[in-house]
Structure formats: structure tokens, C-alpha cells
Amino acid sequence: MKHLNVLEAKLTDFVCQASGNYINEENAITKDLIGLRIYDAPLIGAAPVSDVLFEALKKPEAIGEHFMLPKDWMPEGRTVLSFFLPYTEAVKLANARDGREPAPEWLHGRIEGQSFLTEACAYLKDTIEHMSGTVIVPTWDPRFWKSETPKGVEFPDYEFTSNWSERHIAFVCGLGTFGLSRGLITKAGIAGRFASLITDLEFEPVPREYDGLYDYCTNCGACIRRCPVNAISFKTGKAHEPCASFLDYTEEAYAPRYGCGKCQTGVPCESGIPGK
């Protein structure tokens, strides 16, 4: 069984040094953003493909029957790895300012940040392959899809799901629990991005230091007050439709970029677990 600390150290070095984690002159929205670093050091979690919680994700109140189990993606797989890239303080502070519009720093984090997330995932894949492992990245696989609500299905959030969920995978892999905004609260906070892969190498699992889905959320309501379109409530959590509509608006207003992230910034869980 291999230890995660070596893998995490290698990924940390890559995140800190790779040019893709910094905004260059060509892409910068304004000149003062040239050189902006998008992400801080990563967190890595792991779970065996046999973990019973993966099977639980097929329940309709989780993701649904359409969720593909790790063994469906890779029959010879042994470990699911999930990693979290937290945004830097510069990105978070900018977006924590009052107002409904996303900060330019956050827009960079959402778009250029997604490009670098892909780079980081590729680096991790190459690293494991150099360890003689085989890797599948579900979101890169032709079998990955985002769903449309089929006839006869009455689960209202179905069309906002896919057959693989980075947040739910991160939960199973010991990285954190959900908040009212449906983001995942990690030891490095909620503001950042997740990616995952499956390998046939056996890595030590990360113990889940929680029992419930929402153990790290204090129900303080800060994300409710931060949402520019009142999409979050104590009773129902986050409603996807108004959130998606606002993202559509930002895509028109800030093309080719888009984003919001107000519920992830200026809140107690922004950079860590509230109360810890």
C-alpha cells in the first residue's frame, strides 16, 4: 500500500511552481492582475473503490441510480483519489467584497483556474503512471455525461447531476462535508475546486473525521445573505435554478468568462472548518 504524503508533496510542488497557476499578460483582465496566483497548496483524499459510501451515492436523495461506481469506470481499480485546490487569499478577498457581481480575480479562478485544474489532474495522472499505475479520470472519459431529467422522474435536481460528482467523491475520500450552499467544506475551506481519478494502485485511505453530510456546517446563514439571487435557504439549501440563471447572466456579461462564488467567500467556512 502506497502513502499519500509523497503524492501530495509532488502535487504541492507542481501547484506552487507551474506557470498555469499564474495569470499571464495575455489573459489578464486588467494589468494589475498579471502574476496573480490562483490556487494554494492542495489537499488529497483517498478511499478504496469498495467503500460502501460509493454505493450509497446511487440513492435518489444522493445522486441517483445513474451514478457510475468506481468499478464501473475501472474494473481493476483499487483506489479513488480526490484533490482540492483552494483559491488564494487574493482571489477570495476580492470576491468577498460587497456587491452581486463576481470579482475579476474570481472570474480568472473560474476559467483559467479550470484550465489549471485540468493540468494538475494530468500531472497527478502522469505521476501515478510513472509509479507503474493505471489511471482513469472519469470526467475526461467518453462515458461521462451530465443528465437531463427523463420522463417519469420526479426528482427536481436530477438534471443538475451527472454520473460522477466531484463533491460527493471528495466527501467519500475524507476531504470534507457539505454546507447549505451545497459546496464542500474542507480543512482549507469551501472556496476552491475539486478533481478526482481512479487508479489500480492501492493508496492508504484518508479517515473520514465526520459522520454526517453536514458536520462541518454550522448553519450560520452567511451564505444565504451572500447569495445575489436568494437561491439559498435554511429550509431547502440551495435551489439550482436561480443559481444557474445567474451564472448564465455572468456568462453574457463577462464572456468568455463567467462565475459567482459569493456563497463561498466572505463566509466563516471560506478558508477552513468553522470553529476549528
Side-chain angles (χ1 to χ4, degrees):
M1 182 176 291
K2 299 184 181 297
H3 297 288
L4 275 180
N5 55 352
V6 174
L7 208 59
E8 188 169 57
K10 287 180 177 291
L11 184 59
T12 297
D13 287 343
F14 176 77
V15 169
C16 292
Q17 298 175 18
S19 60
N21 193 25
Y22 295 82
I23 302 303
N24 59 36
E25 184 174 1
E26 180 182 357
N27 292 326
I29 296 174
T30 57
K31 289 184 178 181
D32 61 306
L33 296 181
I34 297 172
L36 172 75
R37 182 160 56 90
I38 301 171
Y39 293 117
D40 275 335
L43 301 176
I44 297 185
V49 297
S50 58
D51 194 304
V52 295
L53 285 189
F54 288 123
E55 186 70 43
L57 296 181
K58 295 182 78 69
K59 295 179 179 179
E61 62 270 24
I63 296 175
E65 185 59 36
H66 58 286
F67 173 74
M68 287 177 61
L69 296 170
K71 283 286 190 180
D72 296 330
W73 296 98
M74 177 186 273
E76 71 278 20
R78 291 186 174 184
T79 308
V80 178
L81 296 170
S82 173
F83 69 92
F84 176 65
L85 295 184
Y87 286 126
T88 59
E89 287 302 311
V91 174
K92 292 183 289 189
L93 284 172
N95 206 51
R97 299 182 191 122
D98 292 336
R100 73 193 300 264
E101 301 298 316
E105 291 88 341
W106 189 269
L107 294 172
H108 274 305
R110 183 64 184 84
I111 302 305
E112 282 77 13
Q114 175 61 42
S115 295
F116 182 70
L117 184 71
T118 302
E119 286 185 37
C121 202
Y123 173 81
L124 205 56
K125 180 177 181 291
D126 289 345
T127 300
I128 294 171
E129 288 173 345
H130 278 98
M131 299 166 67
S132 300
T134 301
V135 175
I136 281 183
V137 181
T139 56
W140 297 2
D141 193 282
R143 293 170 293 175
F144 175 75
W145 52 267
K146 292 184 178 297
S147 59
E148 295 181 1
T149 307
K151 293 182 179 179
V153 173
E154 298 181 357
F155 185 51
D157 288 340
Y158 186 97
E159 63 185 285
F160 294 97
T161 69
S162 62
N163 57 355
W164 187 257
S165 168
E166 301 290 16
R167 292 173 299 119
H168 288 80
I169 298 306
F171 173 83
V172 178
C173 289
L175 286 182
T177 77
F178 292 89
L180 273 175
S181 66
R182 303 202 189 197
L184 201 79
I185 303 169
T186 75
K187 291 180 179 179
I190 196 172
R193 304 296 303 280
F194 292 94
S196 61
L197 45 82
I198 305 167
T199 177
D200 60 353
L201 296 185
E202 188 175 6
F203 284 90
E204 59 182 346
V206 171
R208 288 188 287 270
E209 298 177 355
Y210 42 81
D211 297 311
L213 287 171
Y214 300 96
D215 284 5
Y216 291 169
C217 180
T218 63
N219 284 301
C220 68
C223 59
I224 296 175
R225 297 186 291 273
R226 290 281 294 162
C227 180
V229 289
N230 301 311
I232 308 170
S233 72
F234 283 116
K235 185 176 181 180
T236 60
K238 187 181 82 172
H240 287 298
E241 289 84 356
C243 179
S245 294
F246 185 71
L247 286 178
D248 289 342
Y249 151 73
T250 65
E251 190 170 17
E252 293 181 8
Y254 299 99
R257 298 178 178 84
Y258 70 93
C260 176
K262 293 297 183 180
C263 63
Q264 297 181 17
T265 52
V267 292
C269 59
E270 176 188 83
S271 300
I273 302 170
K276 291 189 178 181

